[in-house]
Amino acid sequence: MPRDEPTRRFPFRFDPVFRLPLALLGVRPATAWVDWGPDGLLVRFGPWLLRTTRDNVTGAELSGPYRWWRAIGPHLSLADGGVTFGAGLAAGVCLRFAEPVPALAPGPWLRHPAVTVTVADPAALRDAVTAGAADL
């Protein structure tokens, strides 16, 4: 992505049944999105924030559907240490990193090799990221 390209924002898909519980955590449509732009990747999920450079994002894969207890809210995967920020069950995108990044806890001790996000248009985010990787 050339430096003059705008940042693209991908809102989360909120399943109606999970809106209230997520709102109690501070996660609402106004506080949850994924930005992909010249400066990198920014995932905002209520009070949680994940930020990394474009060149640290090494892959993007579609995934889902999910079980609610594995995907709704912020989750740490015990299998691979990845983080999930989920507001919907239908589908999402798993973004992989060359160097793990912090997201769930402040400080350097908990870093994640991937993030899964349940955005409204997972294919568009995957396509933006994979097209951006070709520009690096």
Side-chain angles (χ1 to χ4, degrees), residues 8-129:
R8 292 187 57 192
R9 178 159 288 179
F10 299 89
F12 276 77
R13 175 186 319 254
F14 279 80
D15 288 353
V17 70
F18 302 117
R19 279 185 180 258
L20 180 58
L22 288 169
L24 295 173
L25 295 174
V27 179
R28 302 178 315 282
T31 65
W33 65 82
V34 175
D35 282 349
W36 177 252
D39 294 328
L41 174 74
L42 173 69
V43 180
R44 168 90 190 268
F45 194 70
W48 293 273
L49 189 68
L50 181 152
R51 183 185 315 253
T52 192
T53 59
R54 290 173 58 88
D55 61 348
N56 194 39
V57 180
T58 60
E61 302 168 5
L62 296 179
S63 60
Y66 309 106
R67 293 182 173 98
W68 72 267
W69 61 88
R70 289 189 170 192
I72 299 302
H75 284 275
L76 172 65
S77 168
L78 298 178
D80 67 1
V83 62
T84 296
F85 294 125
L89 300 177
V93 181
C94 178
L95 304 171
R96 303 217 174 269
F97 307 124
E99 293 293 325
V101 298
L104 284 180
W109 55 88
L110 185 59
R111 301 175 80 77
H112 311 284
V115 63
T116 297
V117 291
T118 61
V119 294
D121 191 347
L125 176 56
R126 180 212 46 208
D127 293 348
V129 169

